[in-house]
Amino acid sequence: MIRTLLCATALVFASVAAATAHDTNRGENVKVVYDQPLPNVPGKSLKGVLVEYAPGGTSPAHTHPNSAFIYATVLEGAITSQVNNGPVTIYRAGENFSEYPGDHHAVSENASKTEPARLLAVFVVDTNETNLTVYEK
C-alpha cells in the first residue's frame, strides 16, 4: 500500500512540468517537479524535487533553507547520504529519510559506479523560498 502510494506520488510529481533544473556536471540532475502552496498552512508550500544521479554521480555538500523540512524517498538504485555529523548511510529503492530545517547534507551521491539512481525529495518550505539548496564552494 505504501509502495503504491509512493509510486503514485512520484508519477504525479514527474508529470508536472519542471520549474527549474540544475546540472552540476558531477553526474546529477536536479529538477523541481512540483510546487504548490498549502491552502491550509498560509506561507508554506509543498515542493517536489527529483534528483537523478548517473553512475558514480554526486551532489556537492549543501544546506537547505532554515524553513525546509524534507522527506526523501529513493526511487531507483541506492543513494549514499550523510546529514550533519550522523553516520554515512546507504538508502536503497523504497527506503526514505528526513532532513530537518537547516540540516547540512555533507554526502549525497549514487552508491553505484555502474547503475543510475533517482531520489524524490519533498519539501515543506516557506512559499517565497526560491533557493532550495545552498551549495558549498
Side-chain angles (χ1 to χ4, degrees):
M1 175 75 172
I2 291 175
R3 185 177 181 127
T4 302
L5 179 60
L6 289 173
C7 289
T9 302
L11 287 173
V12 169
F13 284 178
S15 68
V16 178
T20 63
H22 170 74
D23 186 353
T24 64
N25 294 321
R26 295 175 184 244
E28 67 143 5
N29 186 35
V30 179
K31 294 182 225 175
V32 176
V33 295
Y34 187 82
D35 187 351
Q36 181 67 43
L38 293 171
N40 59 340
V41 186
K44 294 289 185 181
S45 287
L46 187 67
K47 298 182 183 197
V49 177
L50 181 64
V51 182
E52 299 174 305
Y53 290 101
T58 67
S59 294
H62 58 275
T63 303
H64 297 291
N66 287 333
S67 70
F69 173 79
I70 303 159
Y71 174 79
T73 300
V74 178
L75 302 174
E76 175 185 3
I79 304 291
T80 302
S81 180
Q82 181 185 28
V83 178
N84 298 323
N85 293 320
V88 175
T89 305
I90 295 176
Y91 297 95
R92 292 172 177 33
E95 296 181 328
N96 53 67
F97 59 93
S98 297
E99 292 183 47
Y100 291 89
D103 275 354
H104 178 255
H105 206 154
V107 176
S108 183
E109 61 191 25
N110 188 339
S112 173
K113 303 292 184 207
T114 60
E115 300 293 326
R118 291 185 311 138
L119 170 77
L120 178 65
V122 179
F123 289 68
V124 176
V125 64
D126 287 347
T127 298
N128 62 358
E129 186 65 62
T130 57
N131 191 9
L132 297 178
T133 307
V134 177
Y135 291 99
E136 294 178 11
K137 300 198 185 260

